[in-house]
Amino acid sequence: QDVLRGGWDYAISKPLYRLRGKTLGLMAFGDIAKMVALKAQAFGINVQAFDPYIDETIAAEYGVKLVDFEVLIKTSDFLSIHAPVTPETFKLFNIDIFKQMKANCILVNTARGALINEEDLVEALEKKYIAGAALDVTSPEPIKPYSKLKKMENVIITPHAAWYTEEAQESLQIQ
């Protein structure tokens, strides 16, 4: 946005950190999370996951360390959500969880909007409990026109499109 307004200064993105050595936390470790882990590792990112239904040997096959939920939220520089909505996960990411996360953490949700309490997310971003959020899903969809998330500079919102490529659409239609 700054470049579009005529700016040309790398300093607007400060602080900016290298990826190598950072920690990506995966909330659930299904097929999509496994692909994300492999891509992240190519950039030198350490990957950990919380998934009570996955055996450690499966995680080890992907070079991923299984951790408990508390470790996941307290030590991840990036936290990517891949869990289904269940009674246990509904609005699991709330203000109490955000307060425990690293202040530099970026939260990514491509799973389901109902996993995050969006009012609490706004508060967490305003109070700098976490650094930012990338949301491909919201609750409800589409996002409410008056949502504060739409106006926040540290939030990226896409219209539930993370799955989409021309090839994916064709494959989905065939299946």
Side-chain angles (χ1 to χ4, degrees):
Q1 293 298 322
D2 184 68
V3 171
L4 293 176
R5 290 188 294 264
W8 195 262
D9 184 0
Y10 78 92
I12 65 163
S13 61
K14 285 185 173 183
L16 189 63
Y17 304 99
R18 69 177 55 175
L19 295 175
R20 181 169 300 285
K22 295 295 185 271
T23 300
L24 168 63
L26 301 170
M27 173 62 188
F29 195 62
D31 291 340
I32 294 171
K34 289 172 184 166
M35 289 187 286
V36 170
L38 295 174
K39 290 175 178 21
Q41 289 163 343
F43 289 97
I45 298 172
N46 303 311
V47 183
Q48 61 186 11
F50 167 73
D51 192 325
Y53 305 104
I54 295 293
D55 187 86
E56 283 187 32
T57 57
I58 293 170
E61 287 176 27
Y62 288 85
V64 172
K65 179 181 178 184
L66 279 185
V67 297
D68 64 32
F69 184 69
E70 186 175 352
V71 169
L72 183 84
I73 61 171
K74 290 183 176 183
T75 62
S76 296
D77 297 299
F78 311 99
L79 203 156
S80 186
I81 305 173
H82 300 276
V85 177
T86 66
E88 295 80 24
T89 62
F90 180 74
K91 294 192 178 183
L92 173 65
F93 288 87
N94 59 43
I95 199 66
D96 294 330
I97 298 301
F98 297 135
K99 286 180 177 180
Q100 296 177 61
M101 293 168 69
K102 292 172 87 171
N104 69 319
C105 188
I106 304 291
L107 181 69
V108 179
N109 189 8
T110 61
R112 296 289 178 259
L115 297 166
I116 297 175
N117 180 319
E118 291 181 6
E119 290 177 11
D120 287 0
L121 176 59
V122 167
E123 180 181 348
L125 292 165
E126 288 175 340
K127 293 184 176 177
K128 300 186 187 310
Y129 296 143
I130 63 172
L135 307 173
D136 185 54
V137 290
T138 59
S139 183
E141 288 184 352
I143 192 168
K144 297 173 187 171
Y146 52 85
S147 173
K148 286 185 177 181
L149 291 168
K150 292 174 67 174
K151 294 181 168 91
M152 301 182 89
E153 298 226 350
N154 54 349
V155 176
I156 296 171
I157 304 172
T158 55
H160 203 150
W163 67 274
Y164 178 78
T165 63
E166 290 293 319
E167 295 84 358
Q169 184 173 12
E170 181 179 332
S171 176
L172 183 63
Q173 290 170 344
I174 291 169
Q175 291 174 8

mmCIF file of all heavy atoms in Angstrom, residues 24 35-47:
data_model
loop_
_atom_site.group_PDB
_atom_site.id
_atom_site.type_symbol
_atom_site.label_atom_id
_atom_site.label_comp_id
_atom_site.label_asym_id
_atom_site.label_seq_id
_atom_site.Cartn_x
_atom_site.Cartn_y
_atom_site.Cartn_z
ATOM 1 N N LEU A 24 7.690 -22.850 13.153
ATOM 2 C CA LEU A 24 6.310 -22.918 12.682
ATOM 3 C C LEU A 24 5.583 -23.957 13.510
ATOM 4 O O LEU A 24 6.023 -25.103 13.613
ATOM 5 C CB LEU A 24 6.261 -23.329 11.206
ATOM 6 C CG LEU A 24 4.882 -23.707 10.647
ATOM 7 C CD1 LEU A 24 3.925 -22.521 10.684
ATOM 8 C CD2 LEU A 24 5.010 -24.271 9.247
ATOM 9 N N MET A 35 2.046 -31.090 4.053
ATOM 10 C CA MET A 35 2.605 -30.376 2.898
ATOM 11 C C MET A 35 3.195 -29.028 3.327
ATOM 12 O O MET A 35 4.249 -28.623 2.840
ATOM 13 C CB MET A 35 1.541 -30.191 1.820
ATOM 14 C CG MET A 35 1.169 -31.485 1.117
ATOM 15 S SD MET A 35 0.059 -31.235 -0.286
ATOM 16 C CE MET A 35 -1.467 -30.878 0.546
ATOM 17 N N VAL A 36 2.517 -28.340 4.225
ATOM 18 C CA VAL A 36 3.020 -27.065 4.733
ATOM 19 C C VAL A 36 4.359 -27.281 5.433
ATOM 20 O O VAL A 36 5.301 -26.505 5.253
ATOM 21 C CB VAL A 36 1.995 -26.403 5.684
ATOM 22 C CG1 VAL A 36 2.594 -25.207 6.415
ATOM 23 C CG2 VAL A 36 0.745 -25.994 4.916
ATOM 24 N N ALA A 37 4.467 -28.343 6.224
ATOM 25 C CA ALA A 37 5.710 -28.639 6.944
ATOM 26 C C ALA A 37 6.874 -28.797 5.974
ATOM 27 O O ALA A 37 7.957 -28.227 6.192
ATOM 28 C CB ALA A 37 5.546 -29.902 7.789
ATOM 29 N N LEU A 38 6.682 -29.550 4.912
ATOM 30 C CA LEU A 38 7.757 -29.770 3.944
ATOM 31 C C LEU A 38 8.181 -28.463 3.276
ATOM 32 O O LEU A 38 9.371 -28.212 3.095
ATOM 33 C CB LEU A 38 7.317 -30.788 2.897
ATOM 34 C CG LEU A 38 7.067 -32.207 3.425
ATOM 35 C CD1 LEU A 38 6.484 -33.098 2.331
ATOM 36 C CD2 LEU A 38 8.339 -32.810 4.009
ATOM 37 N N LYS A 39 7.223 -27.635 2.940
ATOM 38 C CA LYS A 39 7.545 -26.347 2.304
ATOM 39 C C LYS A 39 8.302 -25.438 3.280
ATOM 40 O O LYS A 39 9.274 -24.784 2.910
ATOM 41 C CB LYS A 39 6.274 -25.664 1.809
ATOM 42 C CG LYS A 39 5.661 -26.377 0.611
ATOM 43 C CD LYS A 39 4.340 -25.736 0.247
ATOM 44 C CE LYS A 39 3.646 -26.241 -0.884
ATOM 45 N NZ LYS A 39 3.498 -27.197 -1.648
ATOM 46 N N ALA A 40 7.862 -25.396 4.532
ATOM 47 C CA ALA A 40 8.516 -24.544 5.533
ATOM 48 C C ALA A 40 9.950 -25.007 5.784
ATOM 49 O O ALA A 40 10.865 -24.182 5.904
ATOM 50 C CB ALA A 40 7.710 -24.558 6.833
ATOM 51 N N GLN A 41 10.147 -26.310 5.854
ATOM 52 C CA GLN A 41 11.484 -26.839 6.114
ATOM 53 C C GLN A 41 12.458 -26.473 5.000
ATOM 54 O O GLN A 41 13.655 -26.295 5.260
ATOM 55 C CB GLN A 41 11.419 -28.355 6.298
ATOM 56 C CG GLN A 41 10.741 -28.728 7.604
ATOM 57 C CD GLN A 41 10.281 -30.170 7.643
ATOM 58 O OE1 GLN A 41 10.170 -30.843 6.624
ATOM 59 N NE2 GLN A 41 9.986 -30.653 8.840
ATOM 60 N N ALA A 42 11.963 -26.306 3.793
ATOM 61 C CA ALA A 42 12.829 -25.900 2.680
ATOM 62 C C ALA A 42 13.435 -24.519 2.920
ATOM 63 O O ALA A 42 14.484 -24.194 2.357
ATOM 64 C CB ALA A 42 12.040 -25.914 1.369
ATOM 65 N N PHE A 43 12.804 -23.717 3.760
ATOM 66 C CA PHE A 43 13.315 -22.382 4.101
ATOM 67 C C PHE A 43 14.095 -22.386 5.413
ATOM 68 O O PHE A 43 14.440 -21.334 5.936
ATOM 69 C CB PHE A 43 12.164 -21.376 4.194
ATOM 70 C CG PHE A 43 11.563 -21.040 2.868
ATOM 71 C CD1 PHE A 43 10.417 -21.682 2.436
ATOM 72 C CD2 PHE A 43 12.156 -20.100 2.039
ATOM 73 C CE1 PHE A 43 9.856 -21.374 1.205
ATOM 74 C CE2 PHE A 43 11.604 -19.792 0.810
ATOM 75 C CZ PHE A 43 10.452 -20.435 0.392
ATOM 76 N N GLY A 44 14.353 -23.568 5.964
ATOM 77 C CA GLY A 44 15.113 -23.659 7.207
ATOM 78 C C GLY A 44 14.290 -23.391 8.446
ATOM 79 O O GLY A 44 14.832 -23.086 9.510
ATOM 80 N N ILE A 45 12.992 -23.507 8.325
ATOM 81 C CA ILE A 45 12.097 -23.281 9.460
ATOM 82 C C ILE A 45 11.943 -24.585 10.240
ATOM 83 O O ILE A 45 11.755 -25.653 9.654
ATOM 84 C CB ILE A 45 10.715 -22.783 8.973
ATOM 85 C CG1 ILE A 45 10.874 -21.441 8.253
ATOM 86 C CG2 ILE A 45 9.732 -22.687 10.123
ATOM 87 C CD1 ILE A 45 9.612 -20.961 7.562
ATOM 88 N N ASN A 46 12.033 -24.502 11.560
ATOM 89 C CA ASN A 46 11.780 -25.653 12.423
ATOM 90 C C ASN A 46 10.269 -25.831 12.523
ATOM 91 O O ASN A 46 9.545 -24.847 12.701
ATOM 92 C CB ASN A 46 12.359 -25.423 13.817
ATOM 93 C CG ASN A 46 13.841 -25.123 13.768
ATOM 94 O OD1 ASN A 46 14.598 -25.837 13.120
ATOM 95 N ND2 ASN A 46 14.256 -24.060 14.421
ATOM 96 N N VAL A 47 9.807 -27.066 12.439
ATOM 97 C CA VAL A 47 8.368 -27.308 12.449
ATOM 98 C C VAL A 47 7.995 -28.201 13.627
ATOM 99 O O VAL A 47 8.614 -29.244 13.859
ATOM 100 C CB VAL A 47 7.896 -27.947 11.124
ATOM 101 C CG1 VAL A 47 6.379 -28.128 11.136
ATOM 102 C CG2 VAL A 47 8.316 -27.094 9.931
#
